[in-house]
PDB file of all heavy atoms in Angstrom:
ATOM      1  N   ALA A   1      48.790  -9.987   3.434  1.00 97.00           N
ATOM      2  CA  ALA A   1      49.630  -9.008   2.575  1.00 97.00           C
ATOM      3  C   ALA A   1      49.831  -9.532   1.154  1.00 97.00           C
ATOM      4  O   ALA A   1      50.224 -10.670   1.017  1.00 97.00           O
ATOM      5  CB  ALA A   1      50.925  -8.661   3.302  1.00 97.00           C
ATOM      6  N   ILE A   2      49.438  -8.745   0.158  1.00 97.00           N
ATOM      7  CA  ILE A   2      49.645  -9.125  -1.209  1.00 97.00           C
ATOM      8  C   ILE A   2      50.693  -8.111  -1.745  1.00 97.00           C
ATOM      9  O   ILE A   2      50.444  -6.910  -1.843  1.00 97.00           O
ATOM     10  CB  ILE A   2      48.363  -8.990  -1.969  1.00 97.00           C
ATOM     11  CG1 ILE A   2      47.372 -10.082  -1.429  1.00 97.00           C
ATOM     12  CG2 ILE A   2      48.640  -9.162  -3.430  1.00 97.00           C
ATOM     13  CD1 ILE A   2      45.982  -9.913  -2.107  1.00 97.00           C
ATOM     14  N   ASN A   3      51.924  -8.620  -1.967  1.00 95.00           N
ATOM     15  CA  ASN A   3      52.942  -7.658  -2.365  1.00 95.00           C
ATOM     16  C   ASN A   3      53.606  -8.029  -3.693  1.00 95.00           C
ATOM     17  O   ASN A   3      53.671  -9.147  -4.140  1.00 95.00           O
ATOM     18  CB  ASN A   3      54.122  -7.764  -1.284  1.00 95.00           C
ATOM     19  CG  ASN A   3      53.686  -7.389   0.126  1.00 95.00           C
ATOM     20  OD1 ASN A   3      53.653  -8.114   1.007  1.00 95.00           O
ATOM     21  ND2 ASN A   3      53.279  -6.168   0.209  1.00 95.00           N
ATOM     22  N   PHE A   4      54.065  -7.035  -4.380  1.00 93.00           N
ATOM     23  CA  PHE A   4      54.874  -7.017  -5.516  1.00 93.00           C
ATOM     24  C   PHE A   4      54.283  -7.699  -6.744  1.00 93.00           C
ATOM     25  O   PHE A   4      55.039  -8.400  -7.589  1.00 93.00           O
ATOM     26  CB  PHE A   4      56.235  -7.682  -5.244  1.00 93.00           C
ATOM     27  CG  PHE A   4      57.443  -7.035  -5.847  1.00 93.00           C
ATOM     28  CD1 PHE A   4      57.825  -5.720  -5.444  1.00 93.00           C
ATOM     29  CD2 PHE A   4      58.214  -7.631  -6.811  1.00 93.00           C
ATOM     30  CE1 PHE A   4      58.815  -5.071  -6.103  1.00 93.00           C
ATOM     31  CE2 PHE A   4      59.312  -7.067  -7.405  1.00 93.00           C
ATOM     32  CZ  PHE A   4      59.562  -5.753  -7.056  1.00 93.00           C
ATOM     33  N   MET A   5      53.045  -7.576  -6.900  1.00 92.00           N
ATOM     34  CA  MET A   5      52.344  -8.113  -8.042  1.00 92.00           C
ATOM     35  C   MET A   5      52.032  -7.148  -9.097  1.00 92.00           C
ATOM     36  O   MET A   5      51.641  -7.367 -10.238  1.00 92.00           O
ATOM     37  CB  MET A   5      51.064  -8.788  -7.635  1.00 92.00           C
ATOM     38  CG  MET A   5      51.282  -9.954  -6.669  1.00 92.00           C
ATOM     39  SD  MET A   5      49.794 -11.035  -6.401  1.00 92.00           S
ATOM     40  CE  MET A   5      49.899 -12.080  -7.897  1.00 92.00           C
ATOM     41  N   GLY A   6      52.209  -5.740  -8.811  1.00 90.00           N
ATOM     42  CA  GLY A   6      52.126  -4.783  -9.853  1.00 90.00           C
ATOM     43  C   GLY A   6      50.634  -4.270  -9.927  1.00 90.00           C
ATOM     44  O   GLY A   6      49.790  -4.330  -9.022  1.00 90.00           O
ATOM     45  N   CYS A   7      50.315  -3.744 -11.194  1.00 94.00           N
ATOM     46  CA  CYS A   7      49.119  -2.946 -11.363  1.00 94.00           C
ATOM     47  C   CYS A   7      47.833  -3.739 -11.293  1.00 94.00           C
ATOM     48  O   CYS A   7      46.768  -3.260 -11.110  1.00 94.00           O
ATOM     49  CB  CYS A   7      49.190  -2.235 -12.721  1.00 94.00           C
ATOM     50  SG  CYS A   7      50.493  -1.019 -12.896  1.00 94.00           S
ATOM     51  N   TYR A   8      47.861  -5.068 -11.494  1.00 96.00           N
ATOM     52  CA  TYR A   8      46.684  -5.861 -11.401  1.00 96.00           C
ATOM     53  C   TYR A   8      46.399  -6.407  -9.980  1.00 96.00           C
ATOM     54  O   TYR A   8      45.368  -7.166  -9.765  1.00 96.00           O
ATOM     55  CB  TYR A   8      46.766  -7.023 -12.316  1.00 96.00           C
ATOM     56  CG  TYR A   8      47.854  -8.120 -12.046  1.00 96.00           C
ATOM     57  CD1 TYR A   8      47.570  -9.195 -11.170  1.00 96.00           C
ATOM     58  CD2 TYR A   8      49.089  -7.997 -12.425  1.00 96.00           C
ATOM     59  CE1 TYR A   8      48.549 -10.100 -10.850  1.00 96.00           C
ATOM     60  CE2 TYR A   8      50.065  -8.891 -12.185  1.00 96.00           C
ATOM     61  CZ  TYR A   8      49.830  -9.988 -11.351  1.00 96.00           C
ATOM     62  OH  TYR A   8      50.726 -10.952 -11.014  1.00 96.00           O
ATOM     63  N   ALA A   9      47.250  -6.058  -8.973  1.00 97.00           N
ATOM     64  CA  ALA A   9      47.127  -6.768  -7.639  1.00 97.00           C
ATOM     65  C   ALA A   9      45.824  -6.520  -6.926  1.00 97.00           C
ATOM     66  O   ALA A   9      45.415  -7.246  -6.105  1.00 97.00           O
ATOM     67  CB  ALA A   9      48.317  -6.291  -6.789  1.00 97.00           C
ATOM     68  N   ALA A  10      45.081  -5.345  -7.310  1.00 98.00           N
ATOM     69  CA  ALA A  10      43.858  -5.104  -6.561  1.00 98.00           C
ATOM     70  C   ALA A  10      42.853  -6.215  -6.905  1.00 98.00           C
ATOM     71  O   ALA A  10      42.023  -6.594  -5.983  1.00 98.00           O
ATOM     72  CB  ALA A  10      43.261  -3.743  -7.030  1.00 98.00           C
ATOM     73  N   PHE A  11      42.974  -6.771  -8.012  1.00 98.00           N
ATOM     74  CA  PHE A  11      42.075  -7.845  -8.332  1.00 98.00           C
ATOM     75  C   PHE A  11      42.326  -9.044  -7.424  1.00 98.00           C
ATOM     76  O   PHE A  11      41.395  -9.777  -6.991  1.00 98.00           O
ATOM     77  CB  PHE A  11      42.302  -8.362  -9.795  1.00 98.00           C
ATOM     78  CG  PHE A  11      41.537  -7.494 -10.786  1.00 98.00           C
ATOM     79  CD1 PHE A  11      41.783  -6.129 -10.905  1.00 98.00           C
ATOM     80  CD2 PHE A  11      40.545  -8.117 -11.633  1.00 98.00           C
ATOM     81  CE1 PHE A  11      41.169  -5.341 -11.790  1.00 98.00           C
ATOM     82  CE2 PHE A  11      39.857  -7.242 -12.546  1.00 98.00           C
ATOM     83  CZ  PHE A  11      40.115  -5.885 -12.625  1.00 98.00           C
ATOM     84  N   ASN A  12      43.615  -9.368  -7.148  1.00 98.00           N
ATOM     85  CA  ASN A  12      43.906 -10.330  -6.188  1.00 98.00           C
ATOM     86  C   ASN A  12      43.402 -10.124  -4.764  1.00 98.00           C
ATOM     87  O   ASN A  12      42.934 -11.043  -4.096  1.00 98.00           O
ATOM     88  CB  ASN A  12      45.407 -10.664  -6.242  1.00 98.00           C
ATOM     89  CG  ASN A  12      45.913 -11.351  -7.516  1.00 98.00           C
ATOM     90  OD1 ASN A  12      45.648 -12.544  -7.686  1.00 98.00           O
ATOM     91  ND2 ASN A  12      46.439 -10.484  -8.339  1.00 98.00           N
ATOM     92  N   GLY A  13      43.540  -8.828  -4.383  1.00 98.00           N
ATOM     93  CA  GLY A  13      42.922  -8.483  -3.084  1.00 98.00           C
ATOM     94  C   GLY A  13      41.427  -8.666  -3.017  1.00 98.00           C
ATOM     95  O   GLY A  13      40.872  -9.199  -2.093  1.00 98.00           O
ATOM     96  N   LEU A  14      40.733  -8.335  -4.110  1.00 98.00           N
ATOM     97  CA  LEU A  14      39.330  -8.565  -4.215  1.00 98.00           C
ATOM     98  C   LEU A  14      38.958  -9.984  -4.219  1.00 98.00           C
ATOM     99  O   LEU A  14      37.957 -10.394  -3.633  1.00 98.00           O
ATOM    100  CB  LEU A  14      38.746  -7.832  -5.368  1.00 98.00           C
ATOM    101  CG  LEU A  14      38.764  -6.307  -5.316  1.00 98.00           C
ATOM    102  CD1 LEU A  14      38.303  -5.682  -6.570  1.00 98.00           C
ATOM    103  CD2 LEU A  14      37.932  -5.718  -4.208  1.00 98.00           C
ATOM    104  N   LYS A  15      39.753 -10.844  -4.889  1.00 98.00           N
ATOM    105  CA  LYS A  15      39.511 -12.287  -4.942  1.00 98.00           C
ATOM    106  C   LYS A  15      39.654 -12.862  -3.546  1.00 98.00           C
ATOM    107  O   LYS A  15      38.829 -13.738  -3.125  1.00 98.00           O
ATOM    108  CB  LYS A  15      40.513 -12.922  -5.917  1.00 98.00           C
ATOM    109  CG  LYS A  15      40.233 -12.709  -7.311  1.00 98.00           C
ATOM    110  CD  LYS A  15      41.358 -13.406  -8.122  1.00 98.00           C
ATOM    111  CE  LYS A  15      41.312 -13.006  -9.643  1.00 98.00           C
ATOM    112  NZ  LYS A  15      42.371 -13.654 -10.334  1.00 98.00           N
ATOM    113  N   VAL A  16      40.630 -12.498  -2.831  1.00 98.00           N
ATOM    114  CA  VAL A  16      40.803 -13.021  -1.436  1.00 98.00           C
ATOM    115  C   VAL A  16      39.627 -12.575  -0.603  1.00 98.00           C
ATOM    116  O   VAL A  16      39.081 -13.324   0.253  1.00 98.00           O
ATOM    117  CB  VAL A  16      42.167 -12.606  -0.918  1.00 98.00           C
ATOM    118  CG1 VAL A  16      42.269 -12.914   0.558  1.00 98.00           C
ATOM    119  CG2 VAL A  16      43.317 -13.181  -1.663  1.00 98.00           C
ATOM    120  N   ALA A  17      39.249 -11.261  -0.682  1.00 98.00           N
ATOM    121  CA  ALA A  17      38.126 -10.759   0.065  1.00 98.00           C
ATOM    122  C   ALA A  17      36.870 -11.546  -0.281  1.00 98.00           C
ATOM    123  O   ALA A  17      36.107 -11.955   0.646  1.00 98.00           O
ATOM    124  CB  ALA A  17      37.942  -9.310  -0.240  1.00 98.00           C
ATOM    125  N   ASP A  18      36.659 -11.786  -1.551  1.00 98.00           N
ATOM    126  CA  ASP A  18      35.510 -12.574  -2.015  1.00 98.00           C
ATOM    127  C   ASP A  18      35.517 -13.981  -1.358  1.00 98.00           C
ATOM    128  O   ASP A  18      34.427 -14.494  -0.873  1.00 98.00           O
ATOM    129  CB  ASP A  18      35.549 -12.647  -3.509  1.00 98.00           C
ATOM    130  CG  ASP A  18      34.363 -13.426  -4.155  1.00 98.00           C
ATOM    131  OD1 ASP A  18      33.160 -13.049  -3.822  1.00 98.00           O
ATOM    132  OD2 ASP A  18      34.612 -14.378  -4.848  1.00 98.00           O
ATOM    133  N   ALA A  19      36.653 -14.583  -1.333  1.00 97.00           N
ATOM    134  CA  ALA A  19      36.719 -15.928  -0.714  1.00 97.00           C
ATOM    135  C   ALA A  19      36.446 -15.906   0.740  1.00 97.00           C
ATOM    136  O   ALA A  19      35.751 -16.777   1.291  1.00 97.00           O
ATOM    137  CB  ALA A  19      38.172 -16.511  -0.991  1.00 97.00           C
ATOM    138  N   PHE A  20      36.932 -14.879   1.440  1.00 98.00           N
ATOM    139  CA  PHE A  20      36.700 -14.743   2.937  1.00 98.00           C
ATOM    140  C   PHE A  20      35.185 -14.562   3.182  1.00 98.00           C
ATOM    141  O   PHE A  20      34.608 -15.172   4.095  1.00 98.00           O
ATOM    142  CB  PHE A  20      37.439 -13.545   3.436  1.00 98.00           C
ATOM    143  CG  PHE A  20      38.921 -13.702   3.697  1.00 98.00           C
ATOM    144  CD1 PHE A  20      39.744 -12.613   3.541  1.00 98.00           C
ATOM    145  CD2 PHE A  20      39.492 -14.946   3.981  1.00 98.00           C
ATOM    146  CE1 PHE A  20      41.148 -12.801   3.731  1.00 98.00           C
ATOM    147  CE2 PHE A  20      40.835 -15.135   4.131  1.00 98.00           C
ATOM    148  CZ  PHE A  20      41.599 -13.999   4.102  1.00 98.00           C
ATOM    149  N   CYS A  21      34.521 -13.736   2.411  1.00 97.00           N
ATOM    150  CA  CYS A  21      33.111 -13.557   2.568  1.00 97.00           C
ATOM    151  C   CYS A  21      32.232 -14.730   2.234  1.00 97.00           C
ATOM    152  O   CYS A  21      31.212 -14.977   2.876  1.00 97.00           O
ATOM    153  CB  CYS A  21      32.662 -12.311   1.639  1.00 97.00           C
ATOM    154  SG  CYS A  21      33.289 -10.763   2.238  1.00 97.00           S
ATOM    155  N   LYS A  22      32.641 -15.554   1.222  1.00 96.00           N
ATOM    156  CA  LYS A  22      31.986 -16.732   0.956  1.00 96.00           C
ATOM    157  C   LYS A  22      32.121 -17.766   2.024  1.00 96.00           C
ATOM    158  O   LYS A  22      31.263 -18.642   2.172  1.00 96.00           O
ATOM    159  CB  LYS A  22      32.402 -17.273  -0.402  1.00 96.00           C
ATOM    160  CG  LYS A  22      31.930 -16.423  -1.563  1.00 96.00           C
ATOM    161  CD  LYS A  22      32.353 -16.912  -2.972  1.00 96.00           C
ATOM    162  CE  LYS A  22      31.758 -16.006  -4.108  1.00 96.00           C
ATOM    163  NZ  LYS A  22      32.309 -16.415  -5.429  1.00 96.00           N
ATOM    164  N   ALA A  23      33.263 -17.799   2.687  1.00 96.00           N
ATOM    165  CA  ALA A  23      33.500 -18.714   3.705  1.00 96.00           C
ATOM    166  C   ALA A  23      32.869 -18.374   5.036  1.00 96.00           C
ATOM    167  O   ALA A  23      32.495 -19.206   5.809  1.00 96.00           O
ATOM    168  CB  ALA A  23      35.057 -18.849   3.938  1.00 96.00           C
ATOM    169  N   ASN A  24      32.674 -16.973   5.197  1.00 96.00           N
ATOM    170  CA  ASN A  24      32.063 -16.540   6.503  1.00 96.00           C
ATOM    171  C   ASN A  24      31.110 -15.415   6.079  1.00 96.00           C
ATOM    172  O   ASN A  24      31.564 -14.283   5.829  1.00 96.00           O
ATOM    173  CB  ASN A  24      33.102 -16.006   7.438  1.00 96.00           C
ATOM    174  CG  ASN A  24      32.548 -15.475   8.722  1.00 96.00           C
ATOM    175  OD1 ASN A  24      31.330 -15.470   8.895  1.00 96.00           O
ATOM    176  ND2 ASN A  24      33.345 -14.863   9.483  1.00 96.00           N
ATOM    177  N   PRO A  25      29.813 -15.590   6.118  1.00 95.00           N
ATOM    178  CA  PRO A  25      28.859 -14.563   5.762  1.00 95.00           C
ATOM    179  C   PRO A  25      28.889 -13.319   6.614  1.00 95.00           C
ATOM    180  O   PRO A  25      28.409 -12.271   6.254  1.00 95.00           O
ATOM    181  CB  PRO A  25      27.450 -15.287   5.879  1.00 95.00           C
ATOM    182  CG  PRO A  25      27.736 -16.732   5.808  1.00 95.00           C
ATOM    183  CD  PRO A  25      29.098 -16.900   6.452  1.00 95.00           C
ATOM    184  N   LEU A  26      29.539 -13.498   7.784  1.00 96.00           N
ATOM    185  CA  LEU A  26      29.644 -12.290   8.677  1.00 96.00           C
ATOM    186  C   LEU A  26      30.890 -11.472   8.502  1.00 96.00           C
ATOM    187  O   LEU A  26      31.176 -10.520   9.184  1.00 96.00           O
ATOM    188  CB  LEU A  26      29.524 -12.764  10.173  1.00 96.00           C
ATOM    189  CG  LEU A  26      28.187 -13.351  10.541  1.00 96.00           C
ATOM    190  CD1 LEU A  26      28.306 -13.856  11.939  1.00 96.00           C
ATOM    191  CD2 LEU A  26      27.003 -12.532  10.176  1.00 96.00           C
ATOM    192  N   ALA A  27      31.696 -11.971   7.544  1.00 97.00           N
ATOM    193  CA  ALA A  27      33.067 -11.277   7.308  1.00 97.00           C
ATOM    194  C   ALA A  27      32.879  -9.813   6.744  1.00 97.00           C
ATOM    195  O   ALA A  27      31.981  -9.622   5.934  1.00 97.00           O
ATOM    196  CB  ALA A  27      33.854 -12.114   6.359  1.00 97.00           C
ATOM    197  N   ARG A  28      33.630  -8.997   7.334  1.00 97.00           N
ATOM    198  CA  ARG A  28      33.840  -7.608   6.763  1.00 97.00           C
ATOM    199  C   ARG A  28      35.253  -7.298   6.473  1.00 97.00           C
ATOM    200  O   ARG A  28      36.113  -7.325   7.297  1.00 97.00           O
ATOM    201  CB  ARG A  28      33.273  -6.550   7.760  1.00 97.00           C
ATOM    202  CG  ARG A  28      31.742  -6.380   7.687  1.00 97.00           C
ATOM    203  CD  ARG A  28      31.271  -5.298   8.675  1.00 97.00           C
ATOM    204  NE  ARG A  28      29.901  -4.923   8.424  1.00 97.00           N
ATOM    205  CZ  ARG A  28      29.149  -4.220   9.265  1.00 97.00           C
ATOM    206  NH1 ARG A  28      29.635  -3.942  10.395  1.00 97.00           N
ATOM    207  NH2 ARG A  28      27.946  -3.968   8.904  1.00 97.00           N
ATOM    208  N   VAL A  29      35.507  -7.202   5.161  1.00 98.00           N
ATOM    209  CA  VAL A  29      36.936  -7.297   4.693  1.00 98.00           C
ATOM    210  C   VAL A  29      37.303  -5.848   4.241  1.00 98.00           C
ATOM    211  O   VAL A  29      36.603  -5.286   3.326  1.00 98.00           O
ATOM    212  CB  VAL A  29      37.127  -8.266   3.588  1.00 98.00           C
ATOM    213  CG1 VAL A  29      38.608  -8.356   3.220  1.00 98.00           C
ATOM    214  CG2 VAL A  29      36.562  -9.644   4.001  1.00 98.00           C
ATOM    215  N   LEU A  30      38.459  -5.340   4.666  1.00 98.00           N
ATOM    216  CA  LEU A  30      39.022  -4.034   4.220  1.00 98.00           C
ATOM    217  C   LEU A  30      40.221  -4.369   3.427  1.00 98.00           C
ATOM    218  O   LEU A  30      41.130  -5.013   3.834  1.00 98.00           O
ATOM    219  CB  LEU A  30      39.306  -3.240   5.493  1.00 98.00           C
ATOM    220  CG  LEU A  30      39.570  -1.726   5.218  1.00 98.00           C
ATOM    221  CD1 LEU A  30      38.348  -1.036   4.679  1.00 98.00           C
ATOM    222  CD2 LEU A  30      40.010  -1.038   6.545  1.00 98.00           C
ATOM    223  N   VAL A  31      40.144  -3.975   2.158  1.00 98.00           N
ATOM    224  CA  VAL A  31      41.227  -4.141   1.256  1.00 98.00           C
ATOM    225  C   VAL A  31      41.918  -2.805   0.968  1.00 98.00           C
ATOM    226  O   VAL A  31      41.170  -1.798   0.641  1.00 98.00           O
ATOM    227  CB  VAL A  31      40.819  -4.687  -0.159  1.00 98.00           C
ATOM    228  CG1 VAL A  31      41.964  -4.878  -1.136  1.00 98.00           C
ATOM    229  CG2 VAL A  31      40.058  -6.047  -0.059  1.00 98.00           C
ATOM    230  N   VAL A  32      43.172  -2.560   1.258  1.00 98.00           N
ATOM    231  CA  VAL A  32      43.887  -1.334   1.134  1.00 98.00           C
ATOM    232  C   VAL A  32      44.996  -1.404   0.173  1.00 98.00           C
ATOM    233  O   VAL A  32      45.941  -2.241   0.427  1.00 98.00           O
ATOM    234  CB  VAL A  32      44.378  -0.811   2.579  1.00 98.00           C
ATOM    235  CG1 VAL A  32      45.003   0.517   2.416  1.00 98.00           C
ATOM    236  CG2 VAL A  32      43.215  -0.917   3.531  1.00 98.00           C
ATOM    237  N   CYS A  33      44.958  -0.677  -0.922  1.00 98.00           N
ATOM    238  CA  CYS A  33      46.027  -0.655  -1.973  1.00 98.00           C
ATOM    239  C   CYS A  33      46.729   0.630  -1.794  1.00 98.00           C
ATOM    240  O   CYS A  33      46.169   1.676  -1.958  1.00 98.00           O
ATOM    241  CB  CYS A  33      45.469  -0.836  -3.323  1.00 98.00           C
ATOM    242  SG  CYS A  33      44.658  -2.325  -3.676  1.00 98.00           S
ATOM    243  N   THR A  34      47.972   0.619  -1.447  1.00 98.00           N
ATOM    244  CA  THR A  34      48.779   1.772  -1.275  1.00 98.00           C
ATOM    245  C   THR A  34      50.121   1.759  -2.051  1.00 98.00           C
ATOM    246  O   THR A  34      50.871   0.755  -1.962  1.00 98.00           O
ATOM    247  CB  THR A  34      49.203   1.943   0.197  1.00 98.00           C
ATOM    248  OG1 THR A  34      47.992   2.004   0.997  1.00 98.00           O
ATOM    249  CG2 THR A  34      50.032   3.227   0.520  1.00 98.00           C
ATOM    250  N   GLU A  35      50.249   2.708  -2.970  1.00 98.00           N
ATOM    251  CA  GLU A  35      51.392   2.713  -3.900  1.00 98.00           C
ATOM    252  C   GLU A  35      52.031   4.058  -3.936  1.00 98.00           C
ATOM    253  O   GLU A  35      51.376   5.101  -4.073  1.00 98.00           O
ATOM    254  CB  GLU A  35      50.940   2.353  -5.354  1.00 98.00           C
ATOM    255  CG  GLU A  35      50.179   0.940  -5.418  1.00 98.00           C
ATOM    256  CD  GLU A  35      51.122  -0.208  -5.243  1.00 98.00           C
ATOM    257  OE1 GLU A  35      52.309  -0.091  -4.796  1.00 98.00           O
ATOM    258  OE2 GLU A  35      50.632  -1.394  -5.416  1.00 98.00           O
ATOM    259  N   ILE A  36      53.396   4.053  -3.630  1.00 97.00           N
ATOM    260  CA  ILE A  36      54.143   5.296  -3.688  1.00 97.00           C
ATOM    261  C   ILE A  36      55.187   5.082  -4.818  1.00 97.00           C
ATOM    262  O   ILE A  36      56.320   4.740  -4.527  1.00 97.00           O
ATOM    263  CB  ILE A  36      54.842   5.601  -2.289  1.00 97.00           C
ATOM    264  CG1 ILE A  36      53.668   5.641  -1.236  1.00 97.00           C
ATOM    265  CG2 ILE A  36      55.541   6.913  -2.369  1.00 97.00           C
ATOM    266  CD1 ILE A  36      54.146   5.955   0.190  1.00 97.00           C
ATOM    267  N   CYS A  37      54.755   5.301  -5.974  1.00 95.00           N
ATOM    268  CA  CYS A  37      55.537   5.019  -7.130  1.00 95.00           C
ATOM    269  C   CYS A  37      56.687   5.961  -7.371  1.00 95.00           C
ATOM    270  O   CYS A  37      57.743   5.592  -7.904  1.00 95.00           O
ATOM    271  CB  CYS A  37      54.726   4.955  -8.442  1.00 95.00           C
ATOM    272  SG  CYS A  37      53.318   3.853  -8.264  1.00 95.00           S
ATOM    273  N   THR A  38      56.455   7.272  -7.047  1.00 95.00           N
ATOM    274  CA  THR A  38      57.378   8.332  -7.544  1.00 95.00           C
ATOM    275  C   THR A  38      58.695   8.277  -6.737  1.00 95.00           C
ATOM    276  O   THR A  38      59.688   8.921  -7.206  1.00 95.00           O
ATOM    277  CB  THR A  38      56.799   9.726  -7.349  1.00 95.00           C
ATOM    278  OG1 THR A  38      56.460   9.938  -5.895  1.00 95.00           O
ATOM    279  CG2 THR A  38      55.553   9.824  -8.158  1.00 95.00           C
TER     280      THR A  38
END
């Protein structure tokens, strides 16, 4: 879980996914960004 980092947090999600895939070539990573701002 990546929480409370604001508008740039998707990049951190992608960085973590990238690291998982480089550590395990069989990894399939689902990154889900959900924001209910209103």
Side-chain angles (χ1 to χ4, degrees):
I2 296 174
N3 297 118
F4 220 66
M5 299 191 80
C7 296
Y8 66 91
F11 278 62
N12 288 284
L14 293 174
K15 288 177 188 177
V16 173
D18 181 54
F20 284 149
C21 290
K22 287 176 177 175
N24 176 7
L26 300 180
R28 275 183 168 163
V29 187
L30 196 57
V31 182
V32 185
C33 297
T34 302
E35 303 291 8
I36 303 180
C37 305
T38 62

